Amino acid sequence: MILLKGGTVVNPKTGLHGKKDILIDENRIIKVDDLIEADQDVQMIEVNDLYIFPGFIDLHVHLREPGFESKETIYTGSRACAKGGYTSVVCMPNTKPALHSVEVIKQLQSIIEKDSVISIFPAGAITMDIAGEVLSNHDQLFESGVVALSDDGRTTMNIEYMKKAFTSSRKWNRPVMTHSEDHEVTKTLKESIFPTTAESDIVERDIALCREMNGILHISHVSTQKTIEAINNAKIEGVEVTGEAAPHHFALSSEKVDMSSTLSKVNPPIRSEEDRLKVIEAIKNRTIEVIATDHAPHETASKERSYGDASFGISGIESAFSVSYKALVESGEIELDQFIEMLTVNPARIARLENLGSIEPGYLANIVVVDLKQDVVIDSDTFISKGKNTPFNGYVGKGEVVGTIHHGKVVYSKTNGRNYVIG
Ligand code: DOR
């Protein structure tokens, strides 16, 4: 048994925000109360002056296994997630082979079982090899345990396949997670930044198809004003659509970073200051309900190329909390409770992850301990992830994850120095 004593618990699902002790037995939370006495067989962890949140849930990470182990593995990626405070993540299907069949999902699940220190839920590919040409077997994928359908990394341009995906989403009560990018537009633009309409036009198409098929749609990495307007209008109409934003889209803008650096090359691109402010406004008014990292690790060599040839993506899971807390809460844009809601209960609801995203008796004991007073200088040399590709190097974030508990077990703990222990 573990007793977390003296921390300030923020748990948006139950509206709790105050000092409480938490008792954990095996993998579950069994008690949350003002003062819990420690029995002899209890391991007491003093968390005075620290904040306690439900383990964070990321709906959008690339963990690269199988096939791209030089970029990331389940072993390194899951430990990087634990260091970032994440205890549950949805991994995207652009692996090799893609997560497009029962065989590949089973292979991945056995690697997760062996190597992961957190919970990893796969998203199954809408089409074989995410190539957009042959539909995958959605029923079999859901039966094997995927929590969403997505061709992320690419957009499914074939309208009939998207309709099938939305039909499957309603049948299985799970979302289609779309990467919104019009490949007809972007394939001609190797050296230049993709325009905002390449995103928003496809979002509008997908919302229309979702409405027609009565599907469930979650729009990944929303980065621009017209996408936000489309989501907002669809919500008003009653279409089941949600959206997520990535830290680099609300903390950075093209006016603030070196856009010619391959470290800033990401898809969708870092946008203008005007778009950045619109993303923050959409977070404030809850059009965007989730923060998701789009953690996209790459080996250094694939970024040390000409701009046009370099890989897209930012290794973001270890900097996400301090970057986001600084940009959204310390800056006064939103309250701490809404921020934590976006990292816990909202993603759990959208991906239908049961018994996750809340600190209450009966729930799985996934908990993160954070020192909100700590400044954090982002330094990719300290990343556990194999991907050191970040435009945030040197950025001073706020709030440091000092401990992560997954299923009742300490999987990350920062000690006084810069050392950490992974269980
Ligand atoms: O920048 C990106 N990188 N965007 C994506 O959608 C895919 C990702 C990757 O897989 O590297």
Side-chain angles (χ1 to χ4, degrees):
M1 283 212 243
I2 293 179
L3 176 61
L4 289 177
K5 211 160 177 42
T8 300
V9 182
V10 176
N11 191 47
K13 176 146 184 292
T14 56
L16 171 62
H17 186 144
K19 272 203 185 289
K20 294 279 174 199
D21 294 347
I22 300 170
L23 191 60
I24 297 166
D25 191 17
E26 304 281 329
N27 62 348
R28 300 259 164 193
I29 294 159
I30 57 168
K31 201 171 179 189
V32 181
D33 216 335
D34 288 339
L35 264 186
I36 304 176
E37 295 304 327
D39 289 344
Q40 273 173 346
D41 57 344
V42 165
Q43 178 198 352
M44 191 165 82
I45 304 178
E46 302 245 14
V47 283
N48 290 318
D49 296 329
L50 298 173
Y51 276 78
I52 311 291
F53 309 125
F56 303 144
I57 300 172
D58 192 344
L59 294 186
H60 198 115
V61 299
H62 297 270
L63 295 181
R64 309 298 192 202
E65 248 192 302
F68 296 111
E69 289 80 0
S70 59
K71 296 178 189 291
E72 193 76 290
T73 61
I74 295 298
Y75 187 93
T76 55
S78 70
R79 283 159 179 76
C81 291
K83 187 175 165 207
Y86 289 87
T87 51
S88 311
V89 298
V90 176
C91 65
M92 291 297 124
N94 59 342
T95 51
K96 201 167 180 175
L99 307 183
H100 58 196
S101 67
V102 174
E103 197 190 350
V104 185
I105 297 295
K106 292 236 174 316
Q107 182 195 353
L108 175 62
Q109 284 165 338
S110 74
I111 301 170
I112 292 169
E113 179 74 31
K114 177 169 66 71
D115 288 346
S116 182
V117 294
I118 62 154
S119 298
I120 299 174
F121 302 97
I126 297 171
T127 62
M128 299 304 284
D129 299 311
I130 64 164
E133 283 159 16
V134 179
L135 209 60
S136 62
N137 188 321
H138 299 166
D139 287 339
Q140 285 184 3
L141 285 171
F142 280 120
E143 273 158 21
S144 70
V146 307
V147 298
L149 290 175
S150 178
D151 270 355
D152 187 77
R154 295 189 57 77
T155 288
T156 320
M157 295 302 290
N158 183 309
I159 287 177
E160 293 311 311
Y161 292 172
M162 276 311 281
K163 286 187 182 178
K164 288 263 168 44
F166 284 125
T167 304
S168 302
S169 76
R170 181 57 68 194
K171 176 174 173 192
W172 288 89
N173 188 29
R174 298 277 190 183
V176 176
M177 295 180 168
T178 53
H179 170 103
S180 307
E181 180 193 349
D182 188 335
H183 296 302
E184 295 306 318
V185 175
T186 59
K187 71 183 177 195
T188 59
L189 297 173
K190 197 172 167 208
E191 296 292 337
S192 46
I193 307 291
F194 298 165
T196 54
T197 46
E199 173 182 316
S200 57
D201 288 354
I202 288 290
V203 167
E204 283 169 8
R205 181 204 71 167
D206 286 338
I207 287 174
L209 295 176
C210 179
R211 184 196 297 111
E212 183 183 337
M213 305 314 289
N214 185 28
I216 303 170
L217 171 58
H218 178 72
I219 297 168
S220 302
H221 37 57
V222 171
S223 72
T224 187
Q225 178 178 358
K226 274 190 86 184
T227 298
I228 292 163
E229 282 165 16
I231 296 174
N232 194 31
N233 292 338
K235 282 187 173 192
I236 292 168
E237 272 184 65
V239 182
E240 192 168 344
V241 54
T242 50
E244 69 186 31
H248 47 270
H249 288 133
F250 56 76
L252 299 178
S253 66
S254 51
E255 285 91 326
K256 291 185 184 168
V257 293
D258 174 5
M259 292 297 280
S260 66
S261 164
T262 58
L263 292 176
S264 316
K265 186 180 177 186
V266 63
N267 192 9
I270 293 168
R271 304 288 193 192
S272 66
E273 182 65 9
E274 198 184 342
D275 273 318
R276 183 185 84 86
L277 294 173
K278 289 289 175 190
V279 171
I280 291 187
E281 192 184 306
I283 287 172
K284 284 167 91 161
N285 67 26
R286 293 186 155 85
T287 304
I288 293 174
E289 298 164 73
V290 166
I291 294 167
T293 63
D294 193 8
H295 174 65
H298 289 287
E299 60 283 88
T300 305
S302 76
K303 286 287 192 180
E304 286 179 344
R305 294 186 186 151
S306 69
Y307 189 86
D309 289 331
S311 301
F312 290 98
I314 292 172
S315 177
I317 200 88
E318 288 165 76
S319 54
F321 183 84
S322 53
V323 166
S324 306
Y325 180 80
K326 174 149 181 174
L328 297 176
V329 185
E330 199 193 34
S331 62
E333 300 290 359
I334 58 173
E335 294 293 329
L336 178 62
D337 297 64
Q338 187 187 348
F339 178 61
I340 299 304
E341 192 182 301
M342 298 182 78
L343 290 165
T344 59
V345 17
N346 291 355
R349 188 191 79 239
I350 288 164
R352 281 74 171 156
L353 304 177
E354 282 177 17
N355 287 323
L356 293 174
S358 184
I359 298 175
E360 48 185 310
Y363 271 62
L364 285 164
N366 290 349
I367 287 173
V368 55
V369 184
V370 177
D371 180 352
L372 284 182
K373 295 198 205 92
Q374 191 65 43
D375 286 329
V376 179
V377 183
I378 309 301
D379 174 4
S380 58
D381 286 345
T382 67
F383 283 2
I384 297 175
S385 169
K386 286 191 180 186
K388 313 298 177 195
N389 47 304
T390 175
F392 283 108
N393 259 330
Y395 180 100
V396 185
K398 188 87 176 191
E400 183 170 38
V401 173
V402 294
T404 306
I405 296 174
H406 173 258
H407 289 190
K409 190 170 162 222
V410 178
V411 289
Y412 172 75
S413 144
K414 180 177 179 287
T415 51
N416 287 334
R418 289 228 51 92
N419 305 321
Y420 44 79
V421 185
I422 299 286

